[in-house]
Amino acid sequence: MPDRPSFQTAVIHDDYVAPQGFSALPQAIHHASTVLFPNVAAMRERDWRRKDGYTYGLHGTPTTFTLEARLAAIEGGTHCRLAPSGLAAITMVDFAFLRSGDDVLIPDNVYSPSRELGDWLAADFGVSVRYYDPLIAAGIDKLILSNTRLIWTEAPGSVSMEVPDLRAICQAAHARGVLVALDNTWSAGIALRAFDLGVDIVMQALTKYQSGGSDVLMGAVITRDAELHRRVELAHMRLGFGVGADDVYLVLRSLPAMKLRFDAHDAAARRVANWLKTRPEVSAVLHPALPDCPGHAIWQRDFSGAGGLFSVLFDPRYAEAETDRFVDCLRLFKIGFSWGGAHSLCVPYRIQKMRNNWTHQGQLVRLNIGLEEPADLIADLEQALHVLKKPSA
């Protein structure tokens, strides 16, 4: 650089080099699209697939690699890749392991955008997509075909809350050489040790408890197998999925308190759910920790907690307009999708239109119990229940 560079050059270039040895508790935020190389030889030798092979911001920086390492450790895996959202993480798995002519099995209670993606794969990409009863357990063996490559699971279903027997599904799948992927968002890797049950690939929406602030969109795919991770990495690169360093930092900052928050959500949700079971307006409380939730025995065997998300079914004598009015009358519960943040949320679902074989009667409303005082949430629900018509005798 010239001894006295022009102003415009001086505001872009400088000779300062940070000294070694600086240390602080917060993870540094490394913003980068362009990554610099000391020389041409280094540029040609680096491999973006290695954690020390920084080549371009899209493939990772020390900030993203730190979050990936922590998420893998929480989940009990060894490899992790970030994605811009939970749905992007699901997409990354599908495009990593499915080709035209392959078959994939998806639970009928799957996250709705994942179902949309499955239908798209079937319509435009030549993938056979079939939906199965989430409580099928070992019976899934009868559905596996010679071209079945992947079985998706969700524990529990994010709206109807059935808890699948992952151990039985994995045993049946592996006996036929089929991979099992799990959407483990509900337990955040805290309350379910998925890999220990035989799951091959775990995805999560970090938008939920990992963020905790209702302000970040992000997903992750975690594995224990190096070859599976290689295929995920190739899909990640080819799809061009990247996440911003500032969002990664927000998740890193929230992780130390995640279990404390998760446990608080769990305790409050159980208190609210048990209160709702006493209400005559409610015909069923779909909370995996309660005995009458489908798959409760599996939840008892495999899970150590429950978080803040569950659903209720209203008495069939209440029409949609009445339960919609109930939702509109809530004051502390806000109407909005997602969960895992401090604010309680409420969403009514037309579940009969979402499921192929839904036989239950009554309107379904999903609740996310936030970090408010549970007694205040119960009082809010009680005042809103007064808008419902009393069922006839």
Side-chain angles (χ1 to χ4, degrees):
M1 191 163 65
D3 291 338
R4 294 182 61 98
S6 66
F7 171 84
Q8 187 58 35
T9 299
V11 297
I12 297 174
H13 294 268
D14 64 79
D15 295 326
Y16 176 77
V17 177
Q20 297 296 314
F22 176 80
S23 180
L25 291 175
Q27 173 64 33
I29 303 175
H30 294 270
H31 298 99
S33 54
T34 297
V35 173
L36 300 179
F37 304 88
N39 50 57
V40 172
M43 182 191 73
R44 289 176 173 158
E45 289 171 1
R46 283 192 197 172
D47 185 342
W48 62 268
R49 286 162 290 199
R50 297 200 314 261
K51 292 299 184 186
D52 61 348
Y54 303 112
T55 58
Y56 191 63
L58 188 66
H59 307 312
T61 71
T63 310
T64 57
F65 289 165
T66 298
L67 178 56
E68 288 171 346
R70 291 186 189 177
L71 293 172
I74 290 168
E75 191 67 62
T78 53
H79 308 282
C80 176
R81 265 301 182 190
L82 299 178
S85 67
L87 181 58
I90 295 169
T91 303
M92 199 155 64
V93 172
D94 284 341
F95 277 80
F97 299 103
L98 296 174
R99 303 290 183 270
S100 178
D102 288 346
D103 176 72
V104 59
L105 289 166
I106 298 176
D108 193 37
N109 63 349
V110 73
Y111 171 60
S112 293
S114 182
R115 193 185 194 102
E116 290 280 344
L117 175 61
D119 293 344
W120 184 43
L121 290 172
D124 291 354
F125 293 88
V127 175
S128 168
V129 179
R130 294 177 295 144
Y131 297 94
Y132 68 89
D133 179 351
L135 298 176
I136 196 170
I140 202 163
D141 175 72
K142 296 180 174 61
L143 299 181
I144 297 175
L145 305 175
S146 60
N147 64 332
T148 303
R149 300 288 176 262
L150 181 66
I151 297 174
W152 270 106
T153 57
E154 188 170 315
S158 63
V159 175
S160 48
M161 297 292 149
E162 300 95 336
V163 183
D165 189 338
L166 292 174
R167 193 188 304 274
I169 291 173
C170 290
Q171 288 175 350
H174 294 162
R176 304 283 291 275
V178 178
L179 296 171
V180 177
L182 167 68
D183 182 340
N184 200 22
T185 301
W186 188 80
S187 80
I190 295 172
L192 178 68
R193 308 303 294 174
F195 290 117
D196 294 344
L197 299 177
V199 172
D200 301 292
I201 305 149
V202 172
M203 66 74 45
Q204 290 193 26
L206 310 180
T207 307
K208 316 304 194 223
Y209 296 114
Q210 289 86 350
S211 162
S214 303
D215 55 358
V216 172
L217 290 169
M218 199 179 299
V221 177
I222 303 164
T223 63
R224 279 183 173 177
D225 182 270
E227 174 57 21
L228 297 183
H229 179 64
R230 184 191 70 83
R231 294 176 67 175
V232 169
E233 279 203 312
L234 288 173
H236 176 272
M237 183 272 290
R238 290 163 178 166
L239 290 166
F241 284 158
V243 296
D246 291 301
D247 283 349
V248 172
Y249 175 78
L250 289 176
V251 176
L252 282 167
R253 188 174 64 174
S254 296
L255 281 185
M258 180 172 67
K259 189 175 187 304
L260 297 174
R261 290 184 283 104
F262 184 89
D263 290 346
H265 287 289
D266 187 355
R270 295 193 203 207
R271 182 173 168 185
V272 174
N274 278 295
W275 178 83
L276 283 165
K277 278 184 64 66
T278 70
R279 298 296 304 196
E281 302 91 345
V282 174
S283 63
V285 179
L286 304 176
H287 188 302
L290 298 184
D292 51 354
C293 185
H296 169 71
I298 301 299
W299 177 86
Q300 279 191 309
R301 184 191 72 186
D302 294 342
F303 287 76
S304 61
L309 192 76
F310 67 93
S311 295
V312 297
L313 285 171
F314 279 85
D315 188 290
R317 288 169 284 186
Y318 296 117
E320 181 181 89
E322 293 168 308
T323 54
D324 284 356
R325 189 163 60 251
F326 158 79
V327 173
D328 285 340
C329 286
L330 289 166
R331 298 165 184 166
L332 295 179
F333 287 85
K334 307 304 179 184
I335 303 171
F337 296 103
S338 197
W339 71 84
H343 295 80
S344 291
L345 300 172
C346 184
V347 178
Y349 282 89
R350 290 172 170 167
I351 188 69
Q352 294 85 355
K353 296 183 178 180
M354 298 167 59
R355 296 286 297 276
N356 292 327
N357 297 298
W358 183 257
T359 59
H360 303 282
Q361 301 298 310
Q363 303 299 316
L364 185 146
V365 175
R366 191 181 75 177
L367 300 173
N368 168 64
I369 305 303
L371 297 177
E372 302 94 343
E373 167 57 46
D376 294 337
L377 296 176
I378 289 171
D380 189 27
L381 291 165
E382 187 170 26
Q383 65 83 23
L385 286 171
H386 289 311
V387 307
L388 293 171
K389 293 179 181 178
K390 293 182 179 179
S392 57

